[in-house]
Amino acid sequence: MFKIIDNFLDKKEFKKIKLMLLDSSFPWYMDKVLLKEDGLITKEKYNFQFTHNFYSQYRPRSSFFENLNNLLIKINASSIVRIKSNLLSRTNKKIKHGFHCDIINVKCTTGILYINSNNGGTEFKDGSFVESKENRFVYFPSNLLHTGTTNTCEQPYRVVLNLNYYKHVL
Amino acid sequence: MFYKESKNLLNQKEINFIKDIILGNSFPWYYHQASTTKECPVYTHTLIHRYDINEEKPVINSNVFSFFEKIILKFCKKHGIKIKTFTRATLNSISFNKKKKVVAHVDHNFKHKVIMIYLNNTDGETIVYDKRFDNKNSLLLSHKMKILKTIKPELYKIVCWDGSYYHAATYPKDNNRRVVFVATFI
């Protein structure tokens, strides 16, 4: 049900996105990972991450949105529902926040571009686990339940770009 | 060592501002790979950048500085502390790190005081060592020092100490975050 593509973007394009996200001028916003009613299974005190909203509610929400143009061409998007980046700090034990779908009442494609390699990743309800690997892209139908996990390795964070979009059908 | 602290100094309006705005989801934080050394990443929101006190004036970098300034002035009035000028102000957020604590450091190479407000419930203590700035190294990587004071974080507690003593933040042991306001002044 999910597909993995390694080395998804060409090196130069990936580096551009990675540098943008990890630059000290890039703003991150503290937010909850999940709401209780959306499937949160961890304690509320662990329910936080840094996020940056690029696109939602039918329009760009970030002055950095233009930096994703080539990525949008690469994923063959005809229409975007939401794009955000998430940054989860390293934890002393792996934390799963809860199985969920990113978008409710819309059937589109969910894609995750992993920005750094670490031992966190994306787990699916059937037990499959996709480890975070730099420049790996995983995509699946948006109604497939999944959960992110934190990382416990040397990397101080786990950063992903999370995309929900419609694909060109032709 | 000079040390003052206050609990319960913040009024409800100030507490609400911290909860809703500072810890809210529309307040920007910036990732810095190193707070002191490379292994000590930190998320910050700078209120006043560090500057050369002999040649420059402080530049306020964020609208929320005035909010914290009022609280600090209230604290200083209570304890009879005089402020000539702020020399640095920032909000810092750190989380679990295998390093356990930040490298011992002083913020400036001149005489100053450090003031800190703990903005959330967390377990990352602040450690003040018995060694004072040696006029050479603002970071002390391997020196043996004794702990002079361990400051336990408590929600909305305000503490102020002599900044010439090397000090360090400890990372939260639990998978929580530790959010503080820190300023220095002369």
Side-chain angles (χ1 to χ4, degrees):
Chain A
M1 287 292 271
F2 61 84
K3 287 193 176 167
I4 301 171
I5 308 172
D6 284 335
N7 302 311
F8 184 64
L9 295 172
D10 71 61
K11 280 183 182 171
K12 199 177 158 191
E13 186 57 34
F14 179 76
K15 197 176 170 188
K16 190 181 92 179
I17 291 176
K18 185 173 181 174
L19 286 177
M20 167 188 75
L21 293 173
L22 299 176
D23 191 84
S24 59
S25 65
F26 185 80
W28 290 96
Y29 300 84
M30 274 186 198
D31 207 354
K32 289 180 187 298
V33 180
L34 270 182
L35 296 175
K36 225 172 187 176
E37 55 268 33
D38 293 335
L40 181 74
I41 55 168
T42 190
K43 287 179 186 169
E44 191 57 46
K45 66 174 178 175
Y46 306 143
N47 185 21
F48 73 93
Q49 63 179 350
F50 288 100
T51 66
H52 182 99
N53 186 3
F54 286 94
Y55 188 102
S56 64
Q57 300 288 317
Y58 319 111
R59 60 187 167 104
R61 300 285 172 173
S62 164
S63 58
F64 294 88
F65 177 70
E66 279 185 11
N67 294 340
L68 304 180
N69 283 349
N70 291 337
L71 172 64
L72 297 179
I73 293 166
K74 180 78 179 181
I75 62 171
N76 200 21
S78 65
S79 177
I80 306 164
V81 180
R82 191 188 74 186
I83 300 177
K84 66 196 269 258
S85 50
N86 299 333
L87 186 156
L88 285 147
S89 296
R90 170 180 43 200
T91 50
N92 61 4
K93 59 181 180 202
K94 229 175 224 188
I95 289 173
K96 283 187 225 174
H97 294 96
F99 288 101
H100 66 278
C101 298
D102 292 358
I103 305 290
I104 300 164
N105 300 330
V106 170
K107 201 175 172 185
C108 58
T109 298
T110 296
I112 302 166
L113 178 67
Y114 299 103
I115 301 300
N116 66 322
S117 299
N118 57 76
N119 69 348
T122 309
E123 190 177 314
F124 294 90
K125 202 78 197 254
D126 68 356
S128 311
F129 181 73
V130 180
E131 193 165 87
S132 288
K133 188 180 168 192
E134 187 169 293
N135 204 11
R136 169 178 278 175
F137 187 69
V138 60
Y139 66 98
F140 48 88
S142 63
N143 60 355
L144 194 63
L145 288 166
H146 62 283
T147 176
T149 78
T150 58
N151 77 292
T152 57
C153 62
E154 291 304 313
Q155 284 285 307
Y157 47 70
R158 173 174 174 260
V159 181
V160 300
L161 251 181
N162 172 237
L163 307 102
N164 286 277
Y165 59 101
Y166 289 98
K167 282 174 126 178
H168 273 293
V169 285
L170 292 176
Chain B
M1 179 190 71
F2 168 84
Y3 175 83
K4 299 283 178 196
E5 73 170 44
S6 277
K7 298 173 191 174
N8 309 316
L9 194 72
L10 274 61
N11 61 39
Q12 196 55 48
K13 207 175 160 190
E14 289 162 340
I15 289 170
N16 290 346
F17 185 86
I18 290 167
K19 278 185 185 170
D20 298 340
I21 305 298
I22 306 298
L23 302 180
N25 61 9
S26 56
F27 189 75
W29 295 85
Y30 299 86
Y31 174 71
H32 289 269
Q33 194 181 28
S35 56
T36 48
T37 60
K38 205 179 168 186
E39 299 82 23
C40 305
V42 62
Y43 303 88
T44 67
H45 181 102
T46 302
L47 309 176
I48 296 176
H49 287 288
R50 288 171 205 253
Y51 63 97
D52 184 340
I53 54 162
N54 297 317
E55 295 187 7
E56 298 166 312
K57 286 188 173 173
V59 177
I60 293 169
N61 187 56
S62 168
N63 290 337
V64 300
F65 175 70
S66 57
F67 166 78
F68 286 101
E69 188 183 26
K70 281 177 199 149
I71 296 171
I72 298 310
L73 294 178
K74 189 162 52 167
F75 174 89
C76 288
K77 191 177 174 189
K78 184 183 170 187
H79 293 284
I81 301 167
K82 282 182 182 165
I83 296 184
K84 190 175 155 197
T85 183
F86 283 96
T87 43
R88 181 196 170 213
T90 187
L91 294 161
N92 284 345
S93 172
I94 55 174
S95 2
F96 170 76
N97 189 312
K98 288 179 178 174
K99 284 280 165 200
K100 293 188 179 159
K101 57 177 180 270
V102 173
V103 172
H105 63 278
V106 290
D107 292 57
H108 306 287
N109 59 3
F110 50 83
K111 210 176 167 194
H112 64 281
K113 288 188 174 71
V114 181
I115 192 157
M116 185 181 280
I117 310 174
Y118 297 96
L119 301 180
N120 70 332
N121 262 318
T122 183
D123 60 341
E125 295 162 341
T126 305
I127 295 168
V128 183
Y129 296 97
D130 63 346
K131 191 171 165 57
R132 298 181 88 160
F133 180 53
D134 58 8
N135 287 316
K136 279 184 252 166
N137 306 299
S138 59
L139 299 178
L140 276 192
L141 294 167
S142 59
H143 287 253
K144 280 187 181 169
M145 291 179 287
K146 283 183 185 160
I147 294 173
L148 193 64
K149 186 155 189 69
T150 300
I151 306 168
K152 264 196 155 187
E154 288 174 55
L155 190 60
Y156 310 130
K157 181 162 92 174
I158 307 174
V159 294
C160 180
W161 71 91
D162 180 345
S164 67
Y165 286 86
Y166 287 95
H167 53 273
T170 54
Y171 291 100
K173 292 180 196 76
D174 201 0
N175 294 312
N176 200 349
R177 64 187 175 202
R178 175 184 184 272
V179 187
V180 296
F181 163 86
V182 191
T184 59
F185 62 90
I186 53 175

